[in-house]
Amino acid sequence: MSPQLLLEYYCSNIPSLQLDKKLDTVRDSLDYLGKDSPDLLFPDIELNDGLSWNILDNSSPKTKVIVTTRNPEYVALAKSKYGISQALLKPIALSEFLKVINEVVSN
């Protein structure tokens, strides 16, 4: 199962989470963020048209962010440069997903 489908599946099994939009590109993500301010973002650092650092630059300070990636170096950069406290390394285990969601939602 692809990481995106796995996240969708995990989210669908948590009643308090509602998946609003699936976005595969930086451009589509920036367009969406220009119109809406979601409570929670799960940006994959590596999208079809580039890296999602620009998305993080343009997300609302109120939006909680959990980045997903295969690259541990991106996790370190997200934490140091963008102040992201939570990240999920692929492949994403359900136990890790639930732990991170609980931490983010409770803060």
Side-chain angles (χ1 to χ4, degrees), residues 48-94:
N48 292 338
D49 63 345
L51 300 177
S52 62
W53 303 123
N54 205 12
I55 296 168
L56 299 178
D57 285 332
N58 288 282
S59 63
S60 166
K62 295 178 186 175
T63 300
K64 296 178 180 183
V65 178
I66 301 170
V67 296
T68 64
T69 184
R70 291 189 190 286
N71 187 334
E73 292 175 15
Y74 288 155
V75 172
L77 183 59
K79 289 181 176 188
S80 66
K81 183 173 180 183
Y82 296 96
I84 307 281
S85 62
Q86 298 297 335
L88 291 167
L89 282 172
K90 298 175 191 174
I92 301 167
L94 177 59

Side-chain angles (χ1 to χ4, degrees), residues 6-77:
L6 190 60
L7 275 178
E8 288 176 40
Y9 174 75
Y10 289 167
C11 289
S12 71
N13 287 291
I14 300 176
S16 60
L17 287 180
Q18 177 185 351
L19 184 62
D20 186 39
K21 204 76 157 159
K22 275 188 331 187
L23 302 163
D24 296 323
T25 66
V26 173
R27 175 181 223 142
D28 288 346
S29 300
L30 291 173
D31 288 345
Y32 175 73
L33 289 174
K35 300 171 192 161
D36 204 348
S37 182
D39 296 326
L40 178 63
L41 282 178
F42 280 105
D44 192 319
I45 298 298
E46 298 176 68
L47 295 175
N48 292 338
D49 63 345
L51 300 177
S52 62
W53 303 123
N54 205 12
I55 296 168
L56 299 178
D57 285 332
N58 288 282
S59 63
S60 166
K62 295 178 186 175
T63 300
K64 296 178 180 183
V65 178
I66 301 170
V67 296
T68 64
T69 184
R70 291 189 190 286
N71 187 334
E73 292 175 15
Y74 288 155
V75 172
L77 183 59

